[in-house]
Amino acid sequence: MSTPGSSIADFLAMLAAERGAARNTILAYGRDLEQAQEMIGGQLDVASPAQLARLGQGWSSLAPSTLARKISALRQYFGFLVDEGLREDDPTHTLPRPATRRPLPKILSHAEVEMLFATVEDEASGDSPAAVRLLTLLEMLYGSGLRATELVSLPVSAVPRDVPFLTVTGKGGQARMVPVSQRAGKALQRWLALRPGDSPWLFPSRNGHISRVRLFQLLKDLAVRADLPPEKISPHVLRHAFATHLLEGGADLRALQTLLGHADISTTQIYTHVDAERLVRLVNERHPLARRRSSD
């Protein structure tokens, strides 16, 4: 049974063990709940509906996304208390319900992606390890839709031998198989031949593997050399481009969810806005009633 003050730790442990929540999510929820406890001046697990209503008022100046996260943390926490029999009522009905909109992803055109590749392919035409490494990183960001953290932390053991798949550990420690294109596979083989040392990491550095910050810097510098605005290029933008361009090519949304490692398909659905015209055309051309009208 939880002791006073320990229920927050128990809730966070449940998130990690049962829901596979990412470490950053657990830390953020922990900060939100501790802050809420400080604001009410007592134990959060016995807070009244009136105290929670005052919390919502005190957070009214926060950005909608931040407010939504804090309220989500509280609702999940009190739901946990009720499920565990630590509380009979759920007081969160007095919290506001912020209307948030997931921001639309930044989009790269096909031409802009081609400019990036033309630049790095020209630079990697020789055997410069730095240029071949950057080509490999770009191929795997745009060709496989990897997150920055997933890419830089890839071990050498994840590289496919006979099967064109990578084994990637994503958010919450969830493993998934990610296809590697023929282009990316060729770049990988070039990089493996030039890769220095015996580090267990695919992209080693002096202190382990290259960092997310270093990956951002490499891409910004490449954008400048490709005559593109550096603020427009990042690992996540390339991941968005991977998803967007696959949808444009007719990819199934469920398949895209699997490739991106999204736990919830609602996260994947953000990409459908870029392909609205194709979807409308699909309904007009492929729906049985559309064909019936044409025959009439």
Side-chain angles (χ1 to χ4, degrees):
M1 181 180 234
S2 293
T3 57
S6 69
S7 58
I8 292 178
D10 292 342
F11 167 67
L12 298 177
M14 181 277 294
L15 286 182
E18 297 182 15
R19 300 187 189 175
R23 181 173 180 273
N24 287 345
T25 299
I26 294 171
L27 291 174
Y29 277 19
R31 288 192 297 268
D32 292 338
L33 296 173
E34 294 289 352
Q35 182 191 58
Q37 186 160 260
E38 290 177 9
M39 290 174 69
I40 66 172
Q43 293 300 324
L44 185 60
D45 54 1
V46 295
S48 68
Q51 286 176 308
L52 292 192
R54 289 195 293 273
L55 276 180
Q57 295 165 6
W59 285 335
S60 60
S61 62
L62 296 175
S65 58
T66 302
L67 178 60
R69 189 198 67 228
K70 290 180 180 294
I71 291 173
S72 175
L74 286 167
R75 289 203 172 109
Q76 292 184 58
Y77 169 68
F78 282 102
F80 165 78
L81 294 182
V82 172
D83 289 344
E84 293 294 310
L86 302 174
R87 184 170 176 135
E88 293 185 357
D89 67 311
D90 183 344
T92 58
H93 62 276
T94 58
L95 290 169
R97 295 183 177 274
T100 59
R101 290 184 60 189
R102 186 183 296 273
L104 296 179
K106 294 181 181 178
I107 303 300
L108 280 180
S109 68
H110 291 269
E112 289 169 326
V113 172
E114 289 172 3
M115 290 171 68
L116 288 174
F117 273 101
T119 301
V120 74
E121 285 170 351
D122 182 61
E123 295 172 350
S125 58
D127 287 327
S128 164
V132 174
R133 182 184 67 175
L134 182 55
L135 173 62
T136 307
L137 290 167
L138 188 64
E139 287 281 5
M140 296 177 74
L141 282 170
Y142 179 66
S144 298
L146 297 180
R147 298 180 178 95
T149 301
E150 293 171 346
L151 179 56
V152 298
S153 61
L154 276 174
V156 176
S157 59
V159 177
R161 296 182 182 276
D162 301 321
V163 180
F165 288 94
L166 285 172
T167 302
V168 175
T169 302
K171 287 187 175 180
Q174 299 296 313
R176 71 183 190 278
M177 300 294 285
V178 177
V180 177
S181 68
Q182 291 182 348
R183 286 173 50 107
K186 290 178 181 179
L188 264 172
Q189 294 308 313
R190 288 185 64 191
W191 168 239
L192 288 172
L194 297 171
R195 176 179 158 274
D198 55 358
S199 169
W201 306 109
L202 181 57
F203 301 105
S205 71
R206 286 178 296 179
N207 300 316
H209 57 69
I210 65 170
S211 67
R212 293 174 69 254
V213 173
R214 181 57 181 150
L215 178 59
F216 272 76
Q217 292 171 340
L218 290 170
L219 291 175
K220 300 291 186 187
D221 291 343
L222 173 62
V224 171
R225 299 196 301 275
D227 292 325
L228 292 171
E231 65 275 8
K232 195 171 183 178
I233 309 298
S234 73
H236 213 60
V237 168
L238 286 163
R239 176 174 159 87
H240 288 322
F242 162 82
T244 301
H245 296 165
L246 269 181
L247 266 185
E248 288 176 353
D252 175 77
L253 200 62
R254 286 289 182 186
L256 189 59
Q257 177 190 4
T258 301
L259 292 172
L260 293 173
H262 288 161
D264 191 331
I265 198 168
S266 64
T267 307
T268 318
Q269 286 172 333
I270 189 67
Y271 294 103
T272 59
H273 81 284
V274 301
D275 212 16
E277 183 180 345
R278 187 184 68 85
L279 294 175
V280 170
R281 188 169 63 249
L282 181 67
V283 170
N284 288 335
E285 294 176 357
R286 304 293 180 85
H287 193 277
L289 289 179
R291 292 198 295 270
R292 182 178 176 184
R293 285 195 300 271
S294 297
S295 61
D296 292 343

